[in-house]
Amino acid sequence: MLNIQELFDLTHTLAGDYLVRFTYPWEALSGVKELILSLGPALEEKGYVQVAPQVWVHESAVIAPTAYLGAPCIIGPKTEVRHCAFIRGSALVGEGCVVGNSVELKNVILFDGVQTPHYNYVGDSILGYKAHMGAGSITSNVKSDKTLVTVRDENGRMETGLKKFGAMLGDHVEVGCNSVLNPGTVIGRESNIYPLSCVRGTVPARSIWKTGGVVVPKR
């Protein structure tokens, strides 16, 4: 379930041709900035406007006057960026997304239909098609001891070589309010995370992460 193809429908992002080059999604994190810079100029023929240097926003997107759009970034069609959102840069935000009040994005790919509507921090992460983060839920992207992030599953630990790596959310993942996704978390497609959870490691597709870290399959 760690492979890109198992987590994401790549037809729902401008990054599809880029992501398909990799086996594991975290391998793509180091190139997000360069990806955006390569995509941006060509988008100006597809309804995008360069509203600031290296910042491309689709003409149908709604950007609140108090939102900050740091370069480079791409904001897709019919996406809403609400008041006091802070896009620090290297953010590729797809179509029909919500980047809400006081949400902070940094070095991320948000597939189409992703919702981060209230007080979320999403850093060094990829959120799949129609993934949703409840109010106050965050991705923690650096370990407390500052060592390199590993991904843990039933087969053991996989080295990523990354100091900064938040979470990979498969398509249609639901994260409950005020949950923390620890560095190196990978959540399979259509899984749900209970509110107030502290998640680490991997969560299989179509599963429920319950209180205390109990994981059960969906019925």
Side-chain angles (χ1 to χ4, degrees):
M1 62 152 281
L2 298 178
N3 292 355
I4 283 177
Q5 302 288 354
E6 295 171 332
L7 287 167
F8 308 121
D9 180 346
L10 298 182
T11 66
H12 289 290
T13 176
L14 291 174
D17 289 341
Y18 171 70
L19 291 172
V20 78
R21 305 175 195 170
F22 303 99
T23 301
Y24 304 113
W26 55 86
E27 296 173 327
L29 290 175
S30 62
V32 173
K33 178 179 180 179
E34 289 72 21
L35 170 66
I36 293 169
L37 293 175
S38 68
L39 290 174
L43 294 176
E44 295 177 27
E45 299 177 357
K46 301 178 180 179
Y48 287 77
V49 178
Q50 188 172 186
V51 298
Q54 301 177 348
V55 175
W56 294 272
V57 177
H58 194 272
E59 59 190 10
S60 65
V62 178
I63 311 296
T66 56
Y68 176 82
L69 306 182
C73 73
I74 293 171
I75 307 297
K78 301 178 183 177
T79 282
E80 182 180 0
V81 181
R82 295 175 178 167
H83 285 282
C84 299
F86 178 29
I87 297 180
R88 286 169 55 187
S90 297
L92 173 53
V93 182
E95 179 175 355
C97 295
V98 175
V99 181
N101 171 37
S102 302
V103 168
E104 181 177 347
L105 302 181
K106 173 253 180 186
N107 198 49
V108 295
I109 297 173
L110 272 55
F111 278 54
D112 300 338
V114 167
Q115 295 195 358
T116 57
H118 314 283
Y119 306 103
N120 308 110
Y121 172 70
V122 186
D124 300 286
S125 300
I126 300 176
L127 277 54
Y129 178 56
K130 290 192 174 180
H132 173 261
M133 295 189 69
S137 60
I138 65 169
T139 65
S140 174
N141 61 337
V142 179
K143 295 174 65 175
S144 59
D145 62 6
K146 307 302 187 291
T147 58
L148 298 181
V149 177
T150 59
V151 175
R152 299 188 302 178
D153 64 5
E154 68 277 6
N155 297 316
R157 296 175 180 265
M158 182 179 297
E159 300 293 336
T160 69
L162 300 172
K163 183 178 179 181
K164 294 187 177 182
F165 167 12
M168 302 290 140
L169 274 57
D171 297 342
H172 299 282
V173 164
E174 292 280 342
V175 178
C177 296
N178 290 321
S179 292
V180 176
L181 308 181
N182 283 280
T185 295
V186 181
I187 304 176
R189 293 190 195 212
E190 300 180 33
S191 287
N192 290 60
I193 307 299
Y194 267 24
L196 299 174
S197 293
C198 182
V199 185
R200 64 179 67 250
T202 59
V203 180
R206 293 195 53 79
S207 297
I208 302 173
W209 177 289
K210 294 189 173 185
T211 303
V214 176
V215 180
V216 299
K218 279 187 174 182
R219 295 180 179 177

